[in-house]
Amino acid sequence: MSLRPDTLADATAPATRLDGAGLRRWAQRAATELQRRRSEINGLNVYPVPDSDTGSNMSFTMDSALAQASETPDNHVATALAMGAARGARGNSGVILSQVLRGIADSCPDSCLQTSQLRLALHSAVELSEKAIAAPVEGTIISVLRACAQAAEHAAETEATETDLLTTACDALHAGEQALAATPSQLPELRAAGVVDAGGVGLLVLLQTLVDELEGRIEPHASALATDTFVSHADQNRSHHLEVMFFFTGDVDQLEAGIAPLGDSLIIARVNDTEATVHIHSHRAGAVIEESLAHGRPSDIRLEVLPDAQADNLSAASAHGDGAHREDGTGATGNAMDTATDDDDDDGTAARTKPRTKPQTKPRTKRRTEHRQLVALVDDSKIAELFAQAGAQVAAPQEFV
Protein backbone atom coordinates (compact mmCIF):
# COMPACT_ATOMS: atom_id res chain seq x y z
CA MET A 1 0.00 0.00 0.00
CA SER A 2 1.32 3.46 -0.78
CA LEU A 3 -0.04 6.78 0.32
CA ARG A 4 2.33 8.63 -2.01
CA PRO A 5 1.71 9.58 -5.65
CA ASP A 6 3.81 8.09 -8.41
CA THR A 7 4.46 11.42 -10.06
CA LEU A 8 5.27 14.89 -8.83
CA ALA A 9 3.99 17.35 -11.40
CA ASP A 10 4.33 20.49 -9.29
CA ALA A 11 7.62 19.83 -7.50
CA THR A 12 10.21 22.55 -6.95
CA ALA A 13 13.73 22.26 -5.54
CA PRO A 14 13.38 20.24 -2.30
CA ALA A 15 14.03 22.08 0.96
CA THR A 16 16.94 20.87 3.06
CA ARG A 17 15.53 22.27 6.30
CA LEU A 18 12.37 23.77 7.72
CA ASP A 19 12.52 26.92 9.81
CA GLY A 20 9.70 28.15 12.02
CA ALA A 21 7.73 29.52 9.08
CA GLY A 22 8.17 26.21 7.28
CA LEU A 23 6.97 24.27 10.31
CA ARG A 24 3.89 26.48 10.45
CA ARG A 25 3.18 25.85 6.75
CA TRP A 26 3.57 22.12 7.35
CA ALA A 27 1.16 22.28 10.29
CA GLN A 28 -1.35 24.07 8.06
CA ARG A 29 -0.98 21.38 5.39
CA ALA A 30 -1.42 18.64 7.98
CA ALA A 31 -4.48 20.30 9.52
CA THR A 32 -6.08 20.80 6.10
CA GLU A 33 -5.39 17.22 5.01
CA LEU A 34 -6.62 15.70 8.27
CA GLN A 35 -9.83 17.67 7.92
CA ARG A 36 -10.21 16.58 4.28
CA ARG A 37 -9.76 12.91 5.18
CA ARG A 38 -11.58 13.06 8.50
CA SER A 39 -14.55 10.93 7.42
CA GLU A 40 -12.29 8.42 5.70
CA ILE A 41 -10.20 7.92 8.86
CA ASN A 42 -13.31 7.84 11.06
CA GLY A 43 -14.56 4.95 8.95
CA LEU A 44 -11.51 2.88 9.87
CA ASN A 45 -11.93 3.34 13.61
CA VAL A 46 -12.16 -0.08 15.28
CA TYR A 47 -9.76 -0.14 18.22
CA PRO A 48 -9.84 0.38 21.19
CA VAL A 49 -13.47 1.53 20.84
CA PRO A 50 -15.30 1.63 17.47
CA ASP A 51 -16.67 5.13 18.00
CA SER A 52 -15.80 6.49 14.54
CA ASP A 53 -14.01 9.59 15.79
CA THR A 54 -10.27 9.04 15.24
CA GLY A 55 -10.20 11.32 12.20
CA SER A 56 -12.19 13.98 14.02
CA ASN A 57 -9.96 13.76 17.10
CA MET A 58 -6.72 14.05 15.14
CA SER A 59 -8.11 16.90 13.06
CA PHE A 60 -9.26 18.81 16.15
CA THR A 61 -5.90 18.25 17.87
CA MET A 62 -3.93 19.52 14.88
CA ASP A 63 -6.24 22.52 14.57
CA SER A 64 -5.55 23.34 18.23
CA ALA A 65 -1.81 23.08 17.61
CA LEU A 66 -2.01 25.36 14.59
CA ALA A 67 -4.12 27.92 16.44
CA GLN A 68 -1.51 28.13 19.20
CA ALA A 69 1.30 28.65 16.65
CA SER A 70 -0.52 31.02 14.31
CA GLU A 71 0.68 34.24 15.98
CA THR A 72 3.86 32.84 17.52
CA PRO A 73 7.32 34.15 16.52
CA ASP A 74 9.02 31.82 14.07
CA ASN A 75 11.66 30.66 16.55
CA HIS A 76 8.95 29.44 18.96
CA VAL A 77 6.65 27.69 16.50
CA ALA A 78 7.67 24.12 17.43
CA THR A 79 7.03 24.72 21.13
CA ALA A 80 3.70 26.40 20.40
CA LEU A 81 2.55 23.50 18.21
CA ALA A 82 3.37 21.03 20.99
CA MET A 83 1.61 23.04 23.69
CA GLY A 84 -1.47 23.68 21.55
CA ALA A 85 -1.77 19.98 20.73
CA ALA A 86 -1.31 18.93 24.36
CA ARG A 87 -4.04 21.27 25.56
CA GLY A 88 -6.42 20.46 22.71
CA ALA A 89 -5.76 16.72 22.37
CA ARG A 90 -8.86 14.58 21.76
CA GLY A 91 -8.94 10.80 22.08
CA ASN A 92 -6.09 8.29 22.09
CA SER A 93 -4.88 9.30 18.65
CA GLY A 94 -4.92 13.01 19.46
CA VAL A 95 -2.79 12.41 22.54
CA ILE A 96 -0.24 10.45 20.50
CA LEU A 97 -0.24 13.20 17.86
CA SER A 98 0.58 15.69 20.63
CA GLN A 99 3.55 13.54 21.62
CA VAL A 100 4.85 13.59 18.04
CA LEU A 101 4.74 17.39 18.10
CA ARG A 102 6.39 17.43 21.50
CA GLY A 103 9.16 15.25 20.07
CA ILE A 104 9.72 17.87 17.36
CA ALA A 105 9.72 20.69 19.90
CA ASP A 106 12.21 18.90 22.16
CA SER A 107 14.55 18.11 19.26
CA CYS A 108 14.59 21.60 17.73
CA PRO A 109 14.07 24.27 20.41
CA ASP A 110 14.94 26.96 17.86
CA SER A 111 12.19 25.62 15.52
CA CYS A 112 14.68 24.64 12.83
CA LEU A 113 14.05 21.09 11.63
CA GLN A 114 16.93 19.34 9.89
CA THR A 115 17.79 15.67 9.29
CA SER A 116 19.24 14.90 12.71
CA GLN A 117 16.37 16.71 14.43
CA LEU A 118 13.78 14.68 12.54
CA ARG A 119 15.44 11.42 13.57
CA LEU A 120 15.62 12.58 17.17
CA ALA A 121 12.02 13.82 17.06
CA LEU A 122 10.66 10.47 15.86
CA HIS A 123 12.72 8.55 18.42
CA SER A 124 11.58 10.89 21.19
CA ALA A 125 7.95 10.62 20.08
CA VAL A 126 8.10 6.83 20.43
CA GLU A 127 9.54 7.08 23.95
CA LEU A 128 7.04 9.74 25.01
CA SER A 129 4.10 7.79 23.58
CA GLU A 130 5.14 4.50 25.17
CA LYS A 131 5.50 6.30 28.49
CA ALA A 132 2.13 8.00 28.07
CA ILE A 133 0.19 4.82 27.22
CA ALA A 134 -0.49 2.64 30.25
CA ALA A 135 -0.70 -0.55 28.15
CA PRO A 136 0.71 -0.12 24.60
CA VAL A 137 -0.80 -2.48 22.02
CA GLU A 138 0.91 -3.57 18.81
CA GLY A 139 -1.01 -3.05 15.58
CA THR A 140 -1.93 0.52 16.50
CA ILE A 141 -0.51 3.98 15.81
CA ILE A 142 2.42 3.23 18.14
CA SER A 143 3.58 0.39 15.85
CA VAL A 144 3.51 2.68 12.83
CA LEU A 145 5.33 5.45 14.71
CA ARG A 146 8.04 3.04 15.87
CA ALA A 147 8.61 1.79 12.32
CA CYS A 148 9.03 5.37 11.09
CA ALA A 149 11.56 6.13 13.82
CA GLN A 150 13.53 2.95 13.17
CA ALA A 151 13.71 3.63 9.43
CA ALA A 152 15.02 7.16 9.99
CA GLU A 153 17.65 5.84 12.39
CA HIS A 154 18.61 2.98 10.08
CA ALA A 155 19.27 5.38 7.20
CA ALA A 156 21.72 7.31 9.37
CA GLU A 157 23.55 4.13 10.36
CA THR A 158 23.87 2.63 6.87
CA GLU A 159 24.48 5.65 4.61
CA ALA A 160 28.10 6.65 4.05
CA THR A 161 27.12 10.31 3.97
CA GLU A 162 24.46 12.21 5.86
CA THR A 163 21.07 11.77 4.19
CA ASP A 164 19.10 14.92 3.51
CA LEU A 165 15.90 15.82 5.30
CA LEU A 166 13.62 14.88 2.39
CA THR A 167 15.21 11.46 1.96
CA THR A 168 14.93 10.75 5.67
CA ALA A 169 11.28 11.82 5.72
CA CYS A 170 10.53 9.63 2.68
CA ASP A 171 12.30 6.64 4.28
CA ALA A 172 10.24 7.10 7.44
CA LEU A 173 7.02 7.43 5.42
CA HIS A 174 7.72 4.30 3.39
CA ALA A 175 8.44 2.26 6.53
CA GLY A 176 5.28 3.64 8.11
CA GLU A 177 3.22 2.54 5.09
CA GLN A 178 4.57 -0.99 5.43
CA ALA A 179 3.87 -1.03 9.16
CA LEU A 180 0.35 0.28 8.55
CA ALA A 181 -0.33 -2.49 6.04
CA ALA A 182 0.76 -5.02 8.68
CA THR A 183 -1.54 -3.76 11.45
CA PRO A 184 -4.40 -6.18 10.62
CA SER A 185 -2.03 -9.11 11.17
CA GLN A 186 -1.14 -7.74 14.62
CA LEU A 187 -4.58 -6.83 15.95
CA PRO A 188 -7.53 -9.28 15.66
CA GLU A 189 -10.09 -6.46 15.73
CA LEU A 190 -8.59 -4.91 12.61
CA ARG A 191 -8.32 -8.25 10.84
CA ALA A 192 -11.95 -9.10 11.60
CA ALA A 193 -13.14 -5.74 10.26
CA GLY A 194 -10.87 -5.78 7.21
CA VAL A 195 -9.27 -2.40 7.91
CA VAL A 196 -5.91 -0.91 8.86
CA ASP A 197 -5.38 1.15 12.01
CA ALA A 198 -7.10 4.53 11.81
CA GLY A 199 -4.57 6.35 13.99
CA GLY A 200 -1.75 4.98 11.86
CA VAL A 201 -3.34 6.49 8.77
CA GLY A 202 -3.58 9.85 10.53
CA LEU A 203 0.07 9.67 11.54
CA LEU A 204 1.11 9.03 7.95
CA VAL A 205 -0.86 12.10 6.90
CA LEU A 206 1.56 14.10 9.07
CA LEU A 207 4.58 12.52 7.40
CA GLN A 208 3.14 12.78 3.88
CA THR A 209 2.39 16.49 4.34
CA LEU A 210 5.92 16.97 5.68
CA VAL A 211 7.26 15.40 2.47
CA ASP A 212 4.88 17.59 0.45
CA GLU A 213 6.17 20.72 2.19
CA LEU A 214 9.81 19.74 1.65
CA GLU A 215 9.13 19.01 -2.03
CA GLY A 216 7.29 22.29 -2.50
CA ARG A 217 4.15 20.52 -3.62
CA ILE A 218 1.20 22.78 -4.35
CA GLU A 219 -1.62 20.24 -4.43
CA PRO A 220 -2.07 17.57 -1.73
CA HIS A 221 -1.11 14.01 -2.63
CA ALA A 222 -3.77 11.62 -3.91
CA SER A 223 -4.49 8.95 -1.34
CA ALA A 224 -4.29 5.38 -2.56
CA LEU A 225 -6.13 4.11 0.49
CA ALA A 226 -9.36 2.44 -0.63
CA THR A 227 -12.56 3.54 1.05
CA ASP A 228 -15.05 1.11 -0.44
CA THR A 229 -14.24 -1.66 2.07
CA PHE A 230 -14.97 0.33 5.20
CA VAL A 231 -17.47 -1.26 7.53
CA SER A 232 -19.76 0.08 10.21
CA HIS A 233 -18.60 -0.70 13.72
CA ALA A 234 -21.46 0.93 15.58
CA ASP A 235 -22.90 -2.33 16.84
CA GLN A 236 -19.77 -4.17 17.94
CA ASN A 237 -19.87 -5.10 21.60
CA ARG A 238 -17.72 -3.02 23.95
CA SER A 239 -17.76 -2.20 27.65
CA HIS A 240 -19.92 0.57 29.11
CA HIS A 241 -17.56 3.51 29.45
CA LEU A 242 -17.29 7.25 29.28
CA GLU A 243 -14.29 8.88 27.65
CA VAL A 244 -12.87 11.31 30.21
CA MET A 245 -10.22 13.84 29.18
CA PHE A 246 -8.72 16.80 31.01
CA PHE A 247 -5.58 18.88 31.38
CA PHE A 248 -3.94 18.31 34.74
CA THR A 249 -1.59 20.42 36.84
CA GLY A 250 -0.10 18.77 39.92
CA ASP A 251 1.58 15.52 40.95
CA VAL A 252 1.33 13.53 37.71
CA ASP A 253 2.88 10.35 39.15
CA GLN A 254 0.37 10.22 42.01
CA LEU A 255 -2.49 10.92 39.62
CA GLU A 256 -1.46 8.03 37.36
CA ALA A 257 -1.28 5.63 40.28
CA GLY A 258 -4.65 6.81 41.56
CA ILE A 259 -6.74 6.62 38.38
CA ALA A 260 -5.14 3.58 36.71
CA PRO A 261 -7.51 1.16 38.55
CA LEU A 262 -10.56 3.23 37.57
CA GLY A 263 -10.69 2.38 33.87
CA ASP A 264 -8.74 1.41 30.77
CA SER A 265 -7.19 3.02 27.68
CA LEU A 266 -5.28 5.27 30.08
CA ILE A 267 -2.94 7.75 28.42
CA ILE A 268 -1.06 10.45 30.33
CA ALA A 269 0.83 12.72 27.95
CA ARG A 270 3.21 14.82 30.02
CA VAL A 271 3.96 18.37 28.99
CA ASN A 272 6.50 18.57 31.81
CA ASP A 273 6.92 17.15 35.33
CA THR A 274 3.79 18.83 36.69
CA GLU A 275 1.45 19.16 33.67
CA ALA A 276 -0.17 16.52 31.48
CA THR A 277 -3.10 15.74 29.23
CA VAL A 278 -5.08 12.82 30.65
CA HIS A 279 -7.30 10.37 28.74
CA ILE A 280 -9.16 7.39 30.21
CA HIS A 281 -12.21 5.23 29.47
CA SER A 282 -14.14 4.64 32.67
CA HIS A 283 -17.62 4.00 34.02
CA ARG A 284 -16.57 5.87 37.19
CA ALA A 285 -16.03 9.35 35.82
CA GLY A 286 -16.83 10.96 39.17
CA ALA A 287 -14.15 8.94 40.90
CA VAL A 288 -11.63 9.91 38.21
CA ILE A 289 -12.34 13.62 38.75
CA GLU A 290 -12.24 13.24 42.54
CA GLU A 291 -8.87 11.51 42.31
CA SER A 292 -7.50 14.27 40.09
CA LEU A 293 -8.64 16.89 42.60
CA ALA A 294 -6.80 15.02 45.35
CA HIS A 295 -3.48 15.42 43.53
CA GLY A 296 -3.79 18.75 41.73
CA ARG A 297 -6.08 20.78 39.49
CA PRO A 298 -7.97 19.41 36.47
CA SER A 299 -9.12 21.80 33.75
CA ASP A 300 -10.64 21.64 30.25
CA ILE A 301 -12.64 18.58 31.32
CA ARG A 302 -14.40 16.77 28.46
CA LEU A 303 -16.79 13.86 28.81
CA GLU A 304 -18.23 11.73 26.02
CA VAL A 305 -20.45 8.68 26.17
CA LEU A 306 -18.79 5.95 24.13
CA PRO A 307 -21.52 5.09 21.62
CA ASP A 308 -21.61 1.33 22.09
CA ALA A 309 -22.70 1.66 25.71
CA GLN A 310 -26.32 2.30 24.77
CA ALA A 311 -26.34 -0.33 22.06
CA ASP A 312 -24.97 -2.90 24.50
CA ASN A 313 -27.58 -2.00 27.13
CA LEU A 314 -30.39 -2.34 24.63
CA SER A 315 -29.04 -5.67 23.45
CA ALA A 316 -28.85 -6.95 27.01
CA ALA A 317 -32.42 -5.87 27.66
CA SER A 318 -33.74 -7.44 24.47
CA ALA A 319 -32.03 -10.72 25.34
CA HIS A 320 -34.45 -11.00 28.28
CA GLY A 321 -37.54 -9.89 26.35
CA ASP A 322 -39.47 -6.61 26.35
CA GLY A 323 -40.95 -7.25 29.80
CA ALA A 324 -37.77 -8.26 31.63
CA HIS A 325 -38.17 -5.94 34.60
CA ARG A 326 -37.10 -6.79 38.12
CA GLU A 327 -39.28 -6.21 41.14
CA ASP A 328 -37.12 -3.25 42.21
CA GLY A 329 -38.24 -1.35 39.11
CA THR A 330 -35.11 -1.85 37.05
CA GLY A 331 -34.65 -3.58 33.75
CA ALA A 332 -32.43 -6.47 32.80
CA THR A 333 -29.32 -4.27 32.77
CA GLY A 334 -30.02 -2.93 36.28
CA ASN A 335 -30.70 0.63 35.07
CA ALA A 336 -33.90 2.40 36.06
CA MET A 337 -36.26 2.06 33.12
CA ASP A 338 -38.75 4.70 34.25
CA THR A 339 -36.10 7.46 34.49
CA ALA A 340 -34.59 6.63 31.08
CA THR A 341 -31.03 7.08 32.36
CA ASP A 342 -28.01 4.83 32.64
CA ASP A 343 -27.01 5.65 36.21
CA ASP A 344 -23.77 4.65 37.88
CA ASP A 345 -22.85 5.24 41.52
CA ASP A 346 -23.65 8.51 43.30
CA ASP A 347 -19.98 9.50 43.11
CA GLY A 348 -20.38 11.82 40.15
CA THR A 349 -20.49 9.28 37.37
CA ALA A 350 -22.26 10.67 34.35
CA ALA A 351 -25.41 9.18 32.84
CA ARG A 352 -27.28 9.48 29.56
CA THR A 353 -30.78 10.86 29.43
CA LYS A 354 -31.71 9.75 25.94
CA PRO A 355 -35.31 8.47 26.05
CA ARG A 356 -35.52 4.68 26.33
CA THR A 357 -38.04 2.95 24.09
CA LYS A 358 -38.67 -0.73 23.53
CA PRO A 359 -35.44 -2.63 23.00
CA GLN A 360 -34.47 -2.56 19.36
CA THR A 361 -34.39 -5.80 17.44
CA LYS A 362 -32.89 -4.26 14.31
CA PRO A 363 -29.19 -3.40 14.52
CA ARG A 364 -28.45 0.29 14.54
CA THR A 365 -26.02 1.46 11.88
CA LYS A 366 -26.04 5.20 12.44
CA ARG A 367 -24.64 7.11 15.36
CA ARG A 368 -26.68 9.95 16.76
CA THR A 369 -24.28 11.53 19.20
CA GLU A 370 -25.89 14.92 18.74
CA HIS A 371 -28.88 13.72 20.77
CA ARG A 372 -26.90 12.48 23.78
CA GLN A 373 -26.86 14.43 27.02
CA LEU A 374 -24.64 13.75 30.00
CA VAL A 375 -26.04 14.05 33.52
CA ALA A 376 -23.73 14.14 36.52
CA LEU A 377 -25.26 12.94 39.82
CA VAL A 378 -23.13 14.61 42.50
CA ASP A 379 -23.44 16.03 46.01
CA ASP A 380 -20.09 17.83 46.13
CA SER A 381 -20.49 21.40 44.79
CA LYS A 382 -16.86 21.63 43.62
CA ILE A 383 -17.12 18.49 41.54
CA ALA A 384 -20.56 19.59 40.29
CA GLU A 385 -19.01 22.82 38.99
CA LEU A 386 -16.33 20.88 37.10
CA PHE A 387 -18.92 18.64 35.44
CA ALA A 388 -21.01 21.68 34.52
CA GLN A 389 -17.97 23.27 32.88
CA ALA A 390 -17.54 20.05 30.88
CA GLY A 391 -21.05 20.44 29.47
CA ALA A 392 -22.95 18.00 31.68
CA GLN A 393 -26.31 18.62 33.28
CA VAL A 394 -25.84 18.42 37.04
CA ALA A 395 -28.40 16.99 39.44
CA ALA A 396 -28.43 15.80 43.04
CA PRO A 397 -28.76 12.01 43.46
CA GLN A 398 -31.92 12.40 45.54
CA GLU A 399 -33.70 13.87 42.55
CA PHE A 400 -33.64 10.41 40.98
CA VAL A 401 -34.83 8.51 44.05
Side-chain angles (χ1 to χ4, degrees):
M1 179 191 304
S2 175
L3 301 183
R4 293 176 291 177
D6 295 326
T7 60
L8 183 61
D10 54 355
T12 60
T16 58
R17 59 192 287 273
L18 283 185
D19 58 10
L23 285 176
R24 190 185 292 108
R25 290 194 302 272
W26 162 65
Q28 179 63 70
R29 284 178 182 266
T32 299
E33 189 68 358
L34 283 170
Q35 174 58 31
R36 185 178 74 86
R37 297 178 61 183
R38 178 177 56 84
S39 296
E40 172 192 335
I41 297 173
N42 282 344
L44 293 168
N45 189 188
V46 172
Y47 186 88
V49 175
D51 46 3
S52 301
D53 63 357
T54 294
S56 299
N57 288 339
M58 297 189 81
S59 177
F60 184 93
T61 302
M62 198 66 204
D63 283 345
S64 297
L66 183 61
Q68 184 81 16
S70 60
E71 303 297 331
T72 302
D74 287 352
N75 61 331
H76 292 139
V77 167
T79 300
L81 287 172
M83 179 58 71
R87 288 192 169 274
R90 295 285 179 91
N92 296 2
S93 55
V95 174
I96 301 302
L97 190 159
S98 75
Q99 298 303 276
V100 173
L101 294 180
R102 181 183 169 187
I104 293 175
D106 289 348
S107 66
C108 49
D110 59 351
S111 295
C112 182
L113 183 68
Q114 300 185 70
T115 304
S116 59
Q117 282 80 18
L118 178 59
R119 287 199 297 265
L120 181 59
L122 291 171
H123 177 75
S124 177
V126 172
E127 290 189 335
L128 290 168
S129 298
E130 290 181 337
K131 184 177 181 180
I133 303 172
V137 175
E138 294 304 319
T140 62
I141 184 174
I142 192 66
S143 301
V144 180
L145 176 59
R146 187 184 301 110
C148 295
Q150 290 173 346
E153 191 64 34
H154 179 71
E157 294 173 352
T158 57
E159 295 292 337
T161 58
E162 176 74 357
T163 55
D164 60 51
L165 180 58
L166 176 58
T167 299
T168 301
C170 287
D171 288 345
L173 177 60
H174 180 62
E177 291 168 353
Q178 293 179 319
L180 178 66
T183 55
S185 67
Q186 296 173 291
L187 203 56
E189 289 87 345
L190 300 180
R191 185 165 58 253
V195 298
V196 294
D197 180 66
V201 174
L203 174 65
L204 294 191
V205 167
L206 265 64
L207 275 172
Q208 178 65 69
T209 52
L210 175 61
V211 169
D212 291 348
E213 179 62 32
L214 292 170
E215 290 178 333
R217 177 178 294 281
I218 298 173
E219 297 296 327
H221 70 283
S223 171
L225 187 63
T227 59
D228 56 357
T229 59
F230 293 167
V231 297
S232 173
H233 313 295
D235 297 299
Q236 292 191 25
N237 186 35
R238 289 294 186 272
S239 56
H240 304 182
H241 284 159
L242 295 173
E243 180 180 67
V244 184
M245 290 194 69
F246 54 90
F247 192 81
F248 178 77
T249 303
D251 191 326
V252 179
D253 290 334
Q254 288 294 320
L255 173 71
E256 181 173 6
I259 68 174
L262 300 178
D264 55 34
S265 295
L266 174 62
I267 301 179
I268 298 182
R270 298 169 187 250
V271 176
N272 50 50
D273 291 339
T274 60
E275 294 181 308
T277 296
V278 180
H279 168 283
I280 189 171
H281 293 172
S282 176
H283 52 74
R284 300 180 61 194
V288 171
I289 300 303
E290 286 178 340
E291 190 69 25
S292 69
L293 287 168
H295 302 295
R297 180 174 61 85
S299 59
D300 299 330
I301 300 173
R302 297 188 293 274
L303 307 172
E304 181 180 350
V305 178
L306 297 178
D308 287 303
Q310 185 181 37
D312 290 348
N313 285 344
L314 290 173
S315 296
S318 63
H320 291 272
D322 294 349
H325 294 244
R326 295 202 302 245
E327 292 181 356
D328 59 1
T330 62
T333 60
N335 300 310
M337 304 295 283
D338 55 346
T339 61
T341 64
D342 288 337
D343 298 337
D344 208 337
D345 298 329
D346 291 342
D347 60 359
T349 302
R352 293 188 308 277
T353 60
K354 186 174 179 179
R356 177 81 49 92
T357 60
K358 290 179 63 177
Q360 299 178 1
T361 56
K362 182 178 180 180
R364 297 182 304 132
T365 58
K366 183 177 181 180
R367 297 177 60 210
R368 296 190 176 183
T369 55
E370 67 273 19
H371 296 305
R372 291 196 181 93
Q373 176 65 60
L374 291 173
V375 174
L377 306 182
V378 292
D379 287 318
D380 189 292
S381 59
K382 188 174 183 180
I383 297 177
E385 182 180 354
L386 289 171
F387 272 105
Q389 292 173 357
Q393 295 293 321
V394 179
Q398 54 266 30
E399 295 181 28
F400 285 82
V401 176

